[in-house]
Amino acid sequence: MRKLLIIGGVAAGATAAARARRLDAKAEITVLEAGPDVSFANCGLPYYIGGDIDSRSKLILQSPESFKSQYDVTVVTETEALSIDRNGKKVRALHKPSGEEREYSYDSLILAQGGKPLVPPLKGVGLDHVFSLWTLQDMDGIDDFIRTRNPENAVVVGGGFIGLEMVEALRKRGLQVSVVERLPHVMPVMEGEIAGFLQEELLSYGVGVYTSRSVEEISSSQVLLDDGTRLRADMVLMSVGVRPTLKLAIEAGLELGDAGGLLVDQYLRTSDTGIFAAGDMVEIEHRINGAKVRIPLAGPANRQGRIAANNALGIPKSYSGSQGTSIVRVFEAVAGTTGLNLNQARQAGFRAEAVTVHKEHHTSYYPGSQQVTVLVIYDRETGRILGGQTAGYAGADRRLDVLATAAAAGMRVHELAELDLAYSPPLGSANDAINMAAFAAENRISGYSPALTAAELDQFVQRHKPAFIDVRDYFAFERSHVSGADHVPLTHLAQRIGSIVKDRPVIVYDDTGKKAHQALRQLVQAGFDEVYNLSGGYTSLERHARALGFSHLHIPLLQPEEKSLEGSSEEENELAVQESAGTLSGHGTLVIDVRTPEEFTFGAYPDSVNIPLDALGYRAEEITDKNREIIVYCASGARSAYAARMLRQMGFSDVKNGGGLMDMMENLA
């Protein structure tokens, strides 16, 4: 009978135990867990505090009793491993409730002790209103503090995954929350434009965001930052990182790696051939560049536990590494990353570039369409996908999984462009945002449509002093634009192309990069030598400016839309649509905007009346004078041409198609 001993019983350890039993029905399997709980859902802790998960018991995946009855695995909780006798293959452990030291022998040993939250040595960090979140007991302490002490203000120190999840949880519990991040933006692993999307969501929900700042001191009611800012804080959550639990391994003489974790080979074997390790305490090979890294995430930990069990029982199975795929939801906003970010890719020696697209997560004509952002990082020389990031209110998770698969498979940009992805109007588009991002990457690589990302723009502006051409509509330009940019709507570019300077580089931009691509091709074919599309358009530019700012160009930032955790009712939304519809009474020329209410609200011709094309058939009956002069317009002129034909068929005698909104505004000028 083979003896398998596992130290640590949460993600990797619990998975290893269950896998080992499925592989060997006769093995004697024992798990030592230093804490009081085994196999609990630590990723779910913030969602219990925030009220999304209403039952604490749902977080308990297994108990010592269920492990015994289901797997015939002996789990001993509140038992801390003190030392490993590698020669004698024994572990000395302390059973904390009784104070008794016990000895456990093994044929194979798996270390799965995970990590612990980093707690910096700050003044006041030991006060009773300062917390970290790692265990069920931590969760209970935070929940009890909120219920019994009724704090009004909280400061979350650290803008990573757990930190942002706790920001949401504490806001849902009614607290005013500030988040402090010492690096330039929250979610430092993500690109600035993706982080900017999250930061805008935080601001929309009234969260204070303090980046590039550190905590100096914590007092009973305040947090002092290194720039002198004082934040009110009835409670503080520390979430600045995780350190691996290595004391036992170090004292046993096991080898550590350069990344600071326990060193293991492809079989998750340590420097002792009888000892294996998995989870947050180990360093593994990054799947994209082969570097040794620590990736403390639940997914890799579970898979490593499974593979460690195989090898500990003499059934060889190699681990191919991880690429750190991870995702976070902050209120309604979702953002994720996989593989290398742009800086990591360049540091690894790749000739890395990136492109960004913003596209509807399903067809725009099907109700509920939301914009999803896809940022792809690739090697310019080989076209290999090195990583990517996604963001949005719907569909970001699906696109991230596609990018993760593509990066793991070593796919090239052209293969991503040709990928067949599921399409149905309620679920996707004929050319998905993934395909569109790959098209943009192909165009950048080939030089067909040269591009610059928001992250590259500052340095380019400093060196080349380019001209900016804004091809958006009048209202978008009026709301916010690059200072010094010339406004040339795409519909008027051909007529005004002679006024654009040719003696320096030209950067064209629109909202998302799609229309700017059309403008770029027009300029190139008109003889312009150096034209660039701003990848991701003004959307990416604004998000990057919010997260990191620019040194060499000015981007006015609008106040984020205020959002409420309660949301708005359907009645309020219906009233807003009705109010935007306007009135048809009166005399003289009647200008009808046949776009949707959402388009109309964004900007419209002065004194126009909004009648969406779909409503024109019955709303036209409200126009009593069929000889009245009527001008109809839409975004481009296509829907208004249809509307003009409808009105004529209904007996209206003086109907003109005004074309697109920009045509109308040009005539107004």
PDB file of all heavy atoms in Angstrom, residues 570-593:
ATOM      1  N   GLU A 570     -37.495  50.169 -15.792  1.00  0.00           N
ATOM      2  CA  GLU A 570     -37.901  50.159 -17.192  1.00  0.00           C
ATOM      3  C   GLU A 570     -38.811  51.350 -17.494  1.00  0.00           C
ATOM      4  O   GLU A 570     -38.788  51.907 -18.584  1.00  0.00           O
ATOM      5  CB  GLU A 570     -38.626  48.845 -17.515  1.00  0.00           C
ATOM      6  CG  GLU A 570     -37.711  47.631 -17.515  1.00  0.00           C
ATOM      7  CD  GLU A 570     -38.431  46.377 -17.964  1.00  0.00           C
ATOM      8  OE1 GLU A 570     -39.568  46.505 -18.466  1.00  0.00           O
ATOM      9  OE2 GLU A 570     -37.867  45.283 -17.829  1.00  0.00           O
ATOM     10  N   GLU A 571     -39.623  51.767 -16.484  1.00  0.00           N
ATOM     11  CA  GLU A 571     -40.505  52.911 -16.688  1.00  0.00           C
ATOM     12  C   GLU A 571     -39.701  54.182 -16.935  1.00  0.00           C
ATOM     13  O   GLU A 571     -40.039  54.998 -17.798  1.00  0.00           O
ATOM     14  CB  GLU A 571     -41.413  53.100 -15.462  1.00  0.00           C
ATOM     15  CG  GLU A 571     -42.451  52.002 -15.267  1.00  0.00           C
ATOM     16  CD  GLU A 571     -41.856  50.742 -14.632  1.00  0.00           C
ATOM     17  OE1 GLU A 571     -40.667  50.775 -14.235  1.00  0.00           O
ATOM     18  OE2 GLU A 571     -42.576  49.736 -14.542  1.00  0.00           O
ATOM     19  N   GLU A 572     -38.592  54.365 -16.170  1.00  0.00           N
ATOM     20  CA  GLU A 572     -37.754  55.544 -16.357  1.00  0.00           C
ATOM     21  C   GLU A 572     -37.113  55.541 -17.738  1.00  0.00           C
ATOM     22  O   GLU A 572     -37.026  56.578 -18.404  1.00  0.00           O
ATOM     23  CB  GLU A 572     -36.671  55.593 -15.276  1.00  0.00           C
ATOM     24  CG  GLU A 572     -37.212  55.901 -13.885  1.00  0.00           C
ATOM     25  CD  GLU A 572     -36.136  55.765 -12.826  1.00  0.00           C
ATOM     26  OE1 GLU A 572     -35.151  55.044 -13.079  1.00  0.00           O
ATOM     27  OE2 GLU A 572     -36.273  56.372 -11.761  1.00  0.00           O
ATOM     28  N   ASN A 573     -36.657  54.366 -18.170  1.00  0.00           N
ATOM     29  CA  ASN A 573     -36.043  54.269 -19.500  1.00  0.00           C
ATOM     30  C   ASN A 573     -37.056  54.570 -20.597  1.00  0.00           C
ATOM     31  O   ASN A 573     -36.748  55.243 -21.580  1.00  0.00           O
ATOM     32  CB  ASN A 573     -35.450  52.874 -19.712  1.00  0.00           C
ATOM     33  CG  ASN A 573     -34.268  52.614 -18.784  1.00  0.00           C
ATOM     34  OD1 ASN A 573     -33.589  53.549 -18.369  1.00  0.00           O
ATOM     35  ND2 ASN A 573     -34.032  51.355 -18.458  1.00  0.00           N
ATOM     36  N   GLU A 574     -38.279  54.070 -20.444  1.00  0.00           N
ATOM     37  CA  GLU A 574     -39.324  54.317 -21.434  1.00  0.00           C
ATOM     38  C   GLU A 574     -39.667  55.803 -21.497  1.00  0.00           C
ATOM     39  O   GLU A 574     -39.858  56.376 -22.571  1.00  0.00           O
ATOM     40  CB  GLU A 574     -40.579  53.497 -21.072  1.00  0.00           C
ATOM     41  CG  GLU A 574     -41.747  53.673 -22.030  1.00  0.00           C
ATOM     42  CD  GLU A 574     -41.429  53.157 -23.422  1.00  0.00           C
ATOM     43  OE1 GLU A 574     -40.563  52.276 -23.552  1.00  0.00           O
ATOM     44  OE2 GLU A 574     -42.063  53.646 -24.375  1.00  0.00           O
ATOM     45  N   LEU A 575     -39.710  56.463 -20.318  1.00  0.00           N
ATOM     46  CA  LEU A 575     -40.005  57.890 -20.268  1.00  0.00           C
ATOM     47  C   LEU A 575     -38.926  58.685 -20.991  1.00  0.00           C
ATOM     48  O   LEU A 575     -39.227  59.633 -21.727  1.00  0.00           O
ATOM     49  CB  LEU A 575     -40.121  58.354 -18.812  1.00  0.00           C
ATOM     50  CG  LEU A 575     -40.413  59.850 -18.598  1.00  0.00           C
ATOM     51  CD1 LEU A 575     -41.753  60.218 -19.228  1.00  0.00           C
ATOM     52  CD2 LEU A 575     -40.406  60.184 -17.107  1.00  0.00           C
ATOM     53  N   ALA A 576     -37.670  58.294 -20.801  1.00  0.00           N
ATOM     54  CA  ALA A 576     -36.569  58.995 -21.462  1.00  0.00           C
ATOM     55  C   ALA A 576     -36.694  58.893 -22.977  1.00  0.00           C
ATOM     56  O   ALA A 576     -36.436  59.860 -23.702  1.00  0.00           O
ATOM     57  CB  ALA A 576     -35.229  58.419 -21.007  1.00  0.00           C
ATOM     58  N   VAL A 577     -37.100  57.716 -23.475  1.00  0.00           N
ATOM     59  CA  VAL A 577     -37.281  57.543 -24.915  1.00  0.00           C
ATOM     60  C   VAL A 577     -38.428  58.417 -25.412  1.00  0.00           C
ATOM     61  O   VAL A 577     -38.342  59.080 -26.444  1.00  0.00           O
ATOM     62  CB  VAL A 577     -37.541  56.058 -25.252  1.00  0.00           C
ATOM     63  CG1 VAL A 577     -37.955  55.910 -26.703  1.00  0.00           C
ATOM     64  CG2 VAL A 577     -36.298  55.244 -24.958  1.00  0.00           C
ATOM     65  N   GLN A 578     -39.541  58.447 -24.639  1.00  0.00           N
ATOM     66  CA  GLN A 578     -40.675  59.250 -25.053  1.00  0.00           C
ATOM     67  C   GLN A 578     -40.320  60.730 -25.093  1.00  0.00           C
ATOM     68  O   GLN A 578     -40.717  61.461 -26.003  1.00  0.00           O
ATOM     69  CB  GLN A 578     -41.847  59.015 -24.099  1.00  0.00           C
ATOM     70  CG  GLN A 578     -42.472  57.638 -24.247  1.00  0.00           C
ATOM     71  CD  GLN A 578     -43.555  57.396 -23.214  1.00  0.00           C
ATOM     72  OE1 GLN A 578     -43.830  58.253 -22.374  1.00  0.00           O
ATOM     73  NE2 GLN A 578     -44.170  56.229 -23.264  1.00  0.00           N
ATOM     74  N   GLU A 579     -39.562  61.199 -24.121  1.00  0.00           N
ATOM     75  CA  GLU A 579     -39.180  62.601 -24.078  1.00  0.00           C
ATOM     76  C   GLU A 579     -38.304  62.978 -25.269  1.00  0.00           C
ATOM     77  O   GLU A 579     -38.342  64.102 -25.758  1.00  0.00           O
ATOM     78  CB  GLU A 579     -38.454  62.908 -22.766  1.00  0.00           C
ATOM     79  CG  GLU A 579     -39.395  62.926 -21.556  1.00  0.00           C
ATOM     80  CD  GLU A 579     -38.640  63.159 -20.265  1.00  0.00           C
ATOM     81  OE1 GLU A 579     -37.400  63.054 -20.284  1.00  0.00           O
ATOM     82  OE2 GLU A 579     -39.274  63.435 -19.236  1.00  0.00           O
ATOM     83  N   SER A 580     -37.501  62.031 -25.746  1.00  0.00           N
ATOM     84  CA  SER A 580     -36.614  62.321 -26.867  1.00  0.00           C
ATOM     85  C   SER A 580     -37.362  62.361 -28.197  1.00  0.00           C
ATOM     86  O   SER A 580     -36.817  62.786 -29.198  1.00  0.00           O
ATOM     87  CB  SER A 580     -35.499  61.263 -26.947  1.00  0.00           C
ATOM     88  OG  SER A 580     -36.010  60.041 -27.434  1.00  0.00           O
ATOM     89  N   ALA A 581     -38.622  61.900 -28.192  1.00  0.00           N
ATOM     90  CA  ALA A 581     -39.356  61.804 -29.445  1.00  0.00           C
ATOM     91  C   ALA A 581     -39.794  63.164 -29.984  1.00  0.00           C
ATOM     92  O   ALA A 581     -40.044  63.329 -31.164  1.00  0.00           O
ATOM     93  CB  ALA A 581     -40.576  60.901 -29.255  1.00  0.00           C
ATOM     94  N   GLY A 582     -39.908  64.156 -29.129  1.00  0.00           N
ATOM     95  CA  GLY A 582     -40.259  65.492 -29.585  1.00  0.00           C
ATOM     96  C   GLY A 582     -41.741  65.599 -29.941  1.00  0.00           C
ATOM     97  O   GLY A 582     -42.557  64.752 -29.613  1.00  0.00           O
ATOM     98  N   THR A 583     -42.115  66.700 -30.639  1.00  0.00           N
ATOM     99  CA  THR A 583     -43.513  66.944 -30.987  1.00  0.00           C
ATOM    100  C   THR A 583     -43.635  67.265 -32.471  1.00  0.00           C
ATOM    101  O   THR A 583     -42.712  67.802 -33.087  1.00  0.00           O
ATOM    102  CB  THR A 583     -44.086  68.099 -30.154  1.00  0.00           C
ATOM    103  OG1 THR A 583     -45.426  68.359 -30.582  1.00  0.00           O
ATOM    104  CG2 THR A 583     -43.243  69.368 -30.306  1.00  0.00           C
ATOM    105  N   LEU A 584     -44.797  66.962 -33.051  1.00  0.00           N
ATOM    106  CA  LEU A 584     -45.017  67.173 -34.476  1.00  0.00           C
ATOM    107  C   LEU A 584     -45.972  68.331 -34.750  1.00  0.00           C
ATOM    108  O   LEU A 584     -46.354  68.562 -35.890  1.00  0.00           O
ATOM    109  CB  LEU A 584     -45.571  65.891 -35.111  1.00  0.00           C
ATOM    110  CG  LEU A 584     -44.657  64.665 -35.005  1.00  0.00           C
ATOM    111  CD1 LEU A 584     -45.312  63.456 -35.643  1.00  0.00           C
ATOM    112  CD2 LEU A 584     -43.316  64.940 -35.640  1.00  0.00           C
ATOM    113  N   SER A 585     -46.391  69.049 -33.704  1.00  0.00           N
ATOM    114  CA  SER A 585     -47.299  70.178 -33.899  1.00  0.00           C
ATOM    115  C   SER A 585     -46.533  71.381 -34.427  1.00  0.00           C
ATOM    116  O   SER A 585     -45.318  71.471 -34.285  1.00  0.00           O
ATOM    117  CB  SER A 585     -47.992  70.524 -32.580  1.00  0.00           C
ATOM    118  OG  SER A 585     -47.018  70.915 -31.614  1.00  0.00           O
ATOM    119  N   GLY A 586     -47.242  72.312 -35.051  1.00  0.00           N
ATOM    120  CA  GLY A 586     -46.611  73.526 -35.543  1.00  0.00           C
ATOM    121  C   GLY A 586     -46.645  73.608 -37.055  1.00  0.00           C
ATOM    122  O   GLY A 586     -47.233  72.765 -37.752  1.00  0.00           O
ATOM    123  N   HIS A 587     -46.014  74.690 -37.564  1.00  0.00           N
ATOM    124  CA  HIS A 587     -46.003  74.940 -39.004  1.00  0.00           C
ATOM    125  C   HIS A 587     -44.571  75.179 -39.454  1.00  0.00           C
ATOM    126  O   HIS A 587     -43.646  75.220 -38.663  1.00  0.00           O
ATOM    127  CB  HIS A 587     -46.892  76.146 -39.330  1.00  0.00           C
ATOM    128  CG  HIS A 587     -48.307  75.979 -38.880  1.00  0.00           C
ATOM    129  ND1 HIS A 587     -49.229  75.214 -39.564  1.00  0.00           N
ATOM    130  CD2 HIS A 587     -48.956  76.474 -37.780  1.00  0.00           C
ATOM    131  CE1 HIS A 587     -50.384  75.250 -38.932  1.00  0.00           C
ATOM    132  NE2 HIS A 587     -50.255  76.003 -37.835  1.00  0.00           N
ATOM    133  N   GLY A 588     -44.382  75.356 -40.722  1.00  0.00           N
ATOM    134  CA  GLY A 588     -43.048  75.579 -41.265  1.00  0.00           C
ATOM    135  C   GLY A 588     -42.341  74.265 -41.523  1.00  0.00           C
ATOM    136  O   GLY A 588     -42.918  73.171 -41.435  1.00  0.00           O
ATOM    137  N   THR A 589     -41.074  74.369 -41.835  1.00  0.00           N
ATOM    138  CA  THR A 589     -40.290  73.179 -42.172  1.00  0.00           C
ATOM    139  C   THR A 589     -40.172  72.248 -40.971  1.00  0.00           C
ATOM    140  O   THR A 589     -39.835  72.680 -39.861  1.00  0.00           O
ATOM    141  CB  THR A 589     -38.892  73.571 -42.661  1.00  0.00           C
ATOM    142  OG1 THR A 589     -39.022  74.427 -43.800  1.00  0.00           O
ATOM    143  CG2 THR A 589     -38.083  72.341 -43.032  1.00  0.00           C
ATOM    144  N   LEU A 590     -40.438  70.981 -41.183  1.00  0.00           N
ATOM    145  CA  LEU A 590     -40.311  69.956 -40.144  1.00  0.00           C
ATOM    146  C   LEU A 590     -39.114  69.075 -40.471  1.00  0.00           C
ATOM    147  O   LEU A 590     -39.054  68.483 -41.552  1.00  0.00           O
ATOM    148  CB  LEU A 590     -41.587  69.104 -40.080  1.00  0.00           C
ATOM    149  CG  LEU A 590     -41.564  67.900 -39.138  1.00  0.00           C
ATOM    150  CD1 LEU A 590     -41.402  68.351 -37.686  1.00  0.00           C
ATOM    151  CD2 LEU A 590     -42.845  67.077 -39.291  1.00  0.00           C
ATOM    152  N   VAL A 591     -38.154  69.017 -39.559  1.00  0.00           N
ATOM    153  CA  VAL A 591     -36.971  68.177 -39.741  1.00  0.00           C
ATOM    154  C   VAL A 591     -37.126  66.933 -38.868  1.00  0.00           C
ATOM    155  O   VAL A 591     -37.301  67.044 -37.647  1.00  0.00           O
ATOM    156  CB  VAL A 591     -35.680  68.932 -39.372  1.00  0.00           C
ATOM    157  CG1 VAL A 591     -34.465  68.024 -39.563  1.00  0.00           C
ATOM    158  CG2 VAL A 591     -35.539  70.195 -40.216  1.00  0.00           C
ATOM    159  N   ILE A 592     -37.086  65.788 -39.482  1.00  0.00           N
ATOM    160  CA  ILE A 592     -37.297  64.523 -38.764  1.00  0.00           C
ATOM    161  C   ILE A 592     -36.005  63.708 -38.783  1.00  0.00           C
ATOM    162  O   ILE A 592     -35.440  63.435 -39.852  1.00  0.00           O
ATOM    163  CB  ILE A 592     -38.437  63.697 -39.400  1.00  0.00           C
ATOM    164  CG1 ILE A 592     -39.745  64.489 -39.366  1.00  0.00           C
ATOM    165  CG2 ILE A 592     -38.600  62.369 -38.663  1.00  0.00           C
ATOM    166  CD1 ILE A 592     -40.901  63.779 -40.053  1.00  0.00           C
ATOM    167  N   ASP A 593     -35.575  63.335 -37.609  1.00  0.00           N
ATOM    168  CA  ASP A 593     -34.406  62.460 -37.430  1.00  0.00           C
ATOM    169  C   ASP A 593     -34.930  61.040 -37.281  1.00  0.00           C
ATOM    170  O   ASP A 593     -35.643  60.733 -36.316  1.00  0.00           O
ATOM    171  CB  ASP A 593     -33.641  62.889 -36.168  1.00  0.00           C
ATOM    172  CG  ASP A 593     -32.356  62.116 -35.941  1.00  0.00           C
ATOM    173  OD1 ASP A 593     -32.323  60.906 -36.233  1.00  0.00           O
ATOM    174  OD2 ASP A 593     -31.389  62.710 -35.428  1.00  0.00           O
TER     175      ASP A 593
END
